[in-house]
mmCIF file of all heavy atoms in Angstrom:
data_model
loop_
_atom_site.group_PDB
_atom_site.id
_atom_site.type_symbol
_atom_site.label_atom_id
_atom_site.label_comp_id
_atom_site.label_asym_id
_atom_site.label_seq_id
_atom_site.Cartn_x
_atom_site.Cartn_y
_atom_site.Cartn_z
ATOM 1 N N LEU A 104 96.808 91.380 98.715
ATOM 2 C CA LEU A 104 97.663 90.736 99.715
ATOM 3 C C LEU A 104 98.206 89.412 99.192
ATOM 4 O O LEU A 104 99.401 89.126 99.338
ATOM 5 C CB LEU A 104 96.878 90.510 101.008
ATOM 6 C CG LEU A 104 97.658 89.836 102.140
ATOM 7 C CD1 LEU A 104 98.745 90.768 102.665
ATOM 8 C CD2 LEU A 104 96.727 89.437 103.279
ATOM 9 N N GLN A 105 97.335 88.616 98.567
ATOM 10 C CA GLN A 105 97.792 87.337 98.026
ATOM 11 C C GLN A 105 98.824 87.554 96.924
ATOM 12 O O GLN A 105 99.807 86.816 96.826
ATOM 13 C CB GLN A 105 96.611 86.529 97.485
ATOM 14 C CG GLN A 105 97.017 85.130 97.014
ATOM 15 C CD GLN A 105 95.846 84.309 96.534
ATOM 16 O OE1 GLN A 105 94.693 84.676 96.748
ATOM 17 N NE2 GLN A 105 96.117 83.187 95.873
ATOM 18 N N LYS A 106 98.605 88.565 96.082
ATOM 19 C CA LYS A 106 99.580 88.897 95.035
ATOM 20 C C LYS A 106 100.915 89.286 95.657
ATOM 21 O O LYS A 106 101.984 88.904 95.160
ATOM 22 C CB LYS A 106 99.047 90.040 94.179
ATOM 23 C CG LYS A 106 97.914 89.665 93.241
ATOM 24 C CD LYS A 106 98.414 88.858 92.064
ATOM 25 C CE LYS A 106 97.326 88.653 91.026
ATOM 26 N NZ LYS A 106 97.805 87.841 89.868
ATOM 27 N N GLY A 107 100.865 90.045 96.742
ATOM 28 C CA GLY A 107 102.089 90.466 97.418
ATOM 29 C C GLY A 107 102.851 89.289 98.004
ATOM 30 O O GLY A 107 104.079 89.214 97.903
ATOM 31 N N ILE A 108 102.119 88.348 98.630
ATOM 32 C CA ILE A 108 102.760 87.158 99.192
ATOM 33 C C ILE A 108 103.387 86.317 98.089
ATOM 34 O O ILE A 108 104.482 85.777 98.236
ATOM 35 C CB ILE A 108 101.736 86.330 99.995
ATOM 36 C CG1 ILE A 108 101.292 87.108 101.238
ATOM 37 C CG2 ILE A 108 102.319 84.982 100.409
ATOM 38 C CD1 ILE A 108 100.196 86.431 102.028
ATOM 39 N N TYR A 109 102.695 86.229 96.940
ATOM 40 C CA TYR A 109 103.224 85.460 95.816
ATOM 41 C C TYR A 109 104.524 86.063 95.295
ATOM 42 O O TYR A 109 105.466 85.349 94.947
ATOM 43 C CB TYR A 109 102.190 85.407 94.692
ATOM 44 C CG TYR A 109 102.679 84.708 93.448
ATOM 45 C CD1 TYR A 109 102.732 83.318 93.371
ATOM 46 C CD2 TYR A 109 103.098 85.443 92.337
ATOM 47 C CE1 TYR A 109 103.185 82.674 92.231
ATOM 48 C CE2 TYR A 109 103.551 84.806 91.195
ATOM 49 C CZ TYR A 109 103.593 83.430 91.145
ATOM 50 O OH TYR A 109 104.052 82.803 90.011
ATOM 51 N N CYS A 110 104.601 87.389 95.249
ATOM 52 C CA CYS A 110 105.781 88.066 94.689
ATOM 53 C C CYS A 110 106.916 88.220 95.701
ATOM 54 O O CYS A 110 108.090 88.129 95.332
ATOM 55 C CB CYS A 110 105.388 89.447 94.152
ATOM 56 S SG CYS A 110 104.211 89.420 92.786
ATOM 57 N N LEU A 111 106.594 88.467 96.982
ATOM 58 C CA LEU A 111 107.610 88.828 97.968
ATOM 59 C C LEU A 111 107.785 87.824 99.094
ATOM 60 O O LEU A 111 108.807 87.855 99.788
ATOM 61 C CB LEU A 111 107.277 90.201 98.580
ATOM 62 C CG LEU A 111 107.192 91.392 97.616
ATOM 63 C CD1 LEU A 111 106.718 92.634 98.360
ATOM 64 C CD2 LEU A 111 108.533 91.649 96.969
ATOM 65 N N GLY A 112 106.799 86.974 99.318
ATOM 66 C CA GLY A 112 106.846 86.098 100.479
ATOM 67 C C GLY A 112 106.112 86.727 101.654
ATOM 68 O O GLY A 112 105.850 87.939 101.679
ATOM 69 N N ALA A 113 105.788 85.920 102.651
ATOM 70 C CA ALA A 113 104.960 86.379 103.770
ATOM 71 C C ALA A 113 105.663 87.424 104.635
ATOM 72 O O ALA A 113 105.056 88.410 105.054
ATOM 73 C CB ALA A 113 104.543 85.183 104.630
ATOM 74 N N SER A 114 106.958 87.239 104.916
ATOM 75 C CA SER A 114 107.662 88.141 105.827
ATOM 76 C C SER A 114 107.743 89.559 105.272
ATOM 77 O O SER A 114 107.402 90.539 105.959
ATOM 78 C CB SER A 114 109.069 87.604 106.108
ATOM 79 O OG SER A 114 109.008 86.374 106.800
ATOM 80 N N LEU A 115 108.200 89.704 104.020
ATOM 81 C CA LEU A 115 108.330 91.030 103.424
ATOM 82 C C LEU A 115 106.963 91.686 103.247
ATOM 83 O O LEU A 115 106.805 92.890 103.487
ATOM 84 C CB LEU A 115 109.051 90.933 102.073
ATOM 85 C CG LEU A 115 110.515 90.484 102.101
ATOM 86 C CD1 LEU A 115 111.108 90.505 100.701
ATOM 87 C CD2 LEU A 115 111.339 91.370 103.027
ATOM 88 N N THR A 116 105.973 90.906 102.824
ATOM 89 C CA THR A 116 104.626 91.450 102.651
ATOM 90 C C THR A 116 104.062 91.946 103.974
ATOM 91 O O THR A 116 103.425 93.009 104.038
ATOM 92 C CB THR A 116 103.691 90.382 102.060
ATOM 93 O OG1 THR A 116 104.229 89.920 100.819
ATOM 94 C CG2 THR A 116 102.303 90.950 101.808
ATOM 95 N N ALA A 117 104.292 91.201 105.042
ATOM 96 C CA ALA A 117 103.792 91.594 106.359
ATOM 97 C C ALA A 117 104.413 92.906 106.822
ATOM 98 O O ALA A 117 103.725 93.775 107.366
ATOM 99 C CB ALA A 117 104.080 90.485 107.372
ATOM 100 N N ILE A 118 105.725 93.062 106.606
ATOM 101 C CA ILE A 118 106.394 94.298 107.023
ATOM 102 C C ILE A 118 105.884 95.482 106.204
ATOM 103 O O ILE A 118 105.602 96.564 106.746
ATOM 104 C CB ILE A 118 107.922 94.159 106.885
ATOM 105 C CG1 ILE A 118 108.448 93.063 107.829
ATOM 106 C CG2 ILE A 118 108.610 95.487 107.226
ATOM 107 C CD1 ILE A 118 109.929 92.764 107.656
ATOM 108 N N LEU A 119 105.735 95.288 104.892
ATOM 109 C CA LEU A 119 105.254 96.374 104.033
ATOM 110 C C LEU A 119 103.816 96.763 104.366
ATOM 111 O O LEU A 119 103.437 97.929 104.221
ATOM 112 C CB LEU A 119 105.350 95.957 102.561
ATOM 113 C CG LEU A 119 106.751 95.915 101.955
ATOM 114 C CD1 LEU A 119 106.702 95.313 100.559
ATOM 115 C CD2 LEU A 119 107.364 97.314 101.901
ATOM 116 N N SER A 120 103.022 95.811 104.839
ATOM 117 C CA SER A 120 101.616 96.105 105.138
ATOM 118 C C SER A 120 101.441 96.955 106.386
ATOM 119 O O SER A 120 100.324 97.381 106.693
ATOM 120 C CB SER A 120 100.825 94.805 105.292
ATOM 121 O OG SER A 120 101.273 94.070 106.411
ATOM 122 N N THR A 121 102.534 97.226 107.105
ATOM 123 C CA THR A 121 102.438 98.127 108.266
ATOM 124 C C THR A 121 102.189 99.565 107.826
ATOM 125 O O THR A 121 102.027 100.453 108.672
ATOM 126 C CB THR A 121 103.726 98.071 109.117
ATOM 127 O OG1 THR A 121 104.869 98.298 108.284
ATOM 128 C CG2 THR A 121 103.869 96.727 109.794
ATOM 129 N N LEU A 122 102.151 99.807 106.513
ATOM 130 C CA LEU A 122 101.762 101.130 106.014
ATOM 131 C C LEU A 122 100.284 101.410 106.273
ATOM 132 O O LEU A 122 99.858 102.565 106.217
ATOM 133 C CB LEU A 122 102.043 101.237 104.507
ATOM 134 C CG LEU A 122 103.503 101.407 104.082
ATOM 135 C CD1 LEU A 122 103.631 101.261 102.583
ATOM 136 C CD2 LEU A 122 104.041 102.761 104.528
ATOM 137 N N GLU A 123 99.518 100.364 106.555
ATOM 138 C CA GLU A 123 98.076 100.559 106.737
ATOM 139 C C GLU A 123 97.719 101.506 107.883
ATOM 140 O O GLU A 123 96.825 102.351 107.727
ATOM 141 C CB GLU A 123 97.382 99.208 106.934
ATOM 142 C CG GLU A 123 95.872 99.323 107.005
ATOM 143 C CD GLU A 123 95.183 97.972 107.079
ATOM 144 O OE1 GLU A 123 95.735 96.990 106.552
ATOM 145 O OE2 GLU A 123 94.088 97.895 107.662
ATOM 146 N N PRO A 124 98.377 101.422 109.061
ATOM 147 C CA PRO A 124 98.052 102.401 110.104
ATOM 148 C C PRO A 124 98.296 103.845 109.673
ATOM 149 O O PRO A 124 97.571 104.744 110.091
ATOM 150 C CB PRO A 124 98.996 101.998 111.258
ATOM 151 C CG PRO A 124 99.266 100.563 111.038
ATOM 152 C CD PRO A 124 99.319 100.393 109.549
ATOM 153 N N ILE A 125 99.306 104.070 108.824
ATOM 154 C CA ILE A 125 99.554 105.429 108.325
ATOM 155 C C ILE A 125 98.376 105.885 107.472
ATOM 156 O O ILE A 125 97.931 107.037 107.554
ATOM 157 C CB ILE A 125 100.865 105.483 107.513
ATOM 158 C CG1 ILE A 125 102.052 105.178 108.423
ATOM 159 C CG2 ILE A 125 101.034 106.849 106.847
ATOM 160 C CD1 ILE A 125 103.386 105.246 107.728
ATOM 161 N N THR A 126 97.854 104.968 106.651
ATOM 162 C CA THR A 126 96.688 105.297 105.838
ATOM 163 C C THR A 126 95.507 105.695 106.710
ATOM 164 O O THR A 126 94.786 106.659 106.407
ATOM 165 C CB THR A 126 96.293 104.080 104.969
ATOM 166 O OG1 THR A 126 97.420 103.651 104.212
ATOM 167 C CG2 THR A 126 95.164 104.443 104.018
ATOM 168 N N SER A 127 95.302 104.968 107.804
ATOM 169 C CA SER A 127 94.190 105.286 108.703
ATOM 170 C C SER A 127 94.377 106.648 109.354
ATOM 171 O O SER A 127 93.406 107.391 109.566
ATOM 172 C CB SER A 127 94.048 104.201 109.772
ATOM 173 O OG SER A 127 95.179 104.182 110.628
ATOM 174 N N ILE A 128 95.633 106.999 109.669
ATOM 175 C CA ILE A 128 95.909 108.308 110.256
ATOM 176 C C ILE A 128 95.585 109.411 109.258
ATOM 177 O O ILE A 128 94.925 110.410 109.586
ATOM 178 C CB ILE A 128 97.388 108.411 110.694
ATOM 179 C CG1 ILE A 128 97.670 107.450 111.852
ATOM 180 C CG2 ILE A 128 97.727 109.847 111.091
ATOM 181 C CD1 ILE A 128 96.934 107.773 113.121
ATOM 182 N N VAL A 129 96.033 109.242 108.007
ATOM 183 C CA VAL A 129 95.798 110.250 106.959
ATOM 184 C C VAL A 129 94.303 110.427 106.707
ATOM 185 O O VAL A 129 93.795 111.552 106.631
ATOM 186 C CB VAL A 129 96.525 109.853 105.652
ATOM 187 C CG1 VAL A 129 96.145 110.806 104.520
ATOM 188 C CG2 VAL A 129 98.027 109.859 105.863
ATOM 189 N N VAL A 130 93.582 109.313 106.595
ATOM 190 C CA VAL A 130 92.142 109.371 106.370
ATOM 191 C C VAL A 130 91.439 110.045 107.549
ATOM 192 O O VAL A 130 90.521 110.861 107.369
ATOM 193 C CB VAL A 130 91.573 107.953 106.149
ATOM 194 C CG1 VAL A 130 90.042 107.975 106.132
ATOM 195 C CG2 VAL A 130 92.097 107.371 104.839
ATOM 196 N N GLY A 131 91.875 109.707 108.765
ATOM 197 C CA GLY A 131 91.267 110.313 109.953
ATOM 198 C C GLY A 131 91.478 111.814 110.015
ATOM 199 O O GLY A 131 90.566 112.567 110.391
ATOM 200 N N VAL A 132 92.665 112.273 109.635
ATOM 201 C CA VAL A 132 92.952 113.711 109.654
ATOM 202 C C VAL A 132 92.154 114.443 108.583
ATOM 203 O O VAL A 132 91.598 115.525 108.825
ATOM 204 C CB VAL A 132 94.473 113.953 109.457
ATOM 205 C CG1 VAL A 132 94.753 115.445 109.242
ATOM 206 C CG2 VAL A 132 95.247 113.443 110.653
ATOM 207 N N ILE A 133 92.048 113.855 107.382
ATOM 208 C CA ILE A 133 91.397 114.534 106.257
ATOM 209 C C ILE A 133 89.877 114.524 106.378
ATOM 210 O O ILE A 133 89.225 115.572 106.229
ATOM 211 C CB ILE A 133 91.820 113.878 104.918
ATOM 212 C CG1 ILE A 133 93.323 114.079 104.685
ATOM 213 C CG2 ILE A 133 91.015 114.476 103.751
ATOM 214 C CD1 ILE A 133 93.834 113.403 103.436
#
């Protein structure tokens, strides 16, 4: 996360991190 903020800034990193709920859905299904 810190690497992402360093490269992209807080706003872009925060939006991209919304992929996490999808990961939880995939893990829950599998």
Side-chain angles (χ1 to χ4, degrees):
L104 180 68
Q105 185 178 348
K106 287 286 188 181
I108 293 175
Y109 176 78
C110 297
L111 300 174
S114 295
L115 294 183
T116 303
I118 297 174
L119 287 173
S120 65
T121 52
L122 285 170
E123 185 175 331
I125 295 182
T126 306
S127 66
I128 293 295
V129 173
V130 171
V132 171
I133 295 177

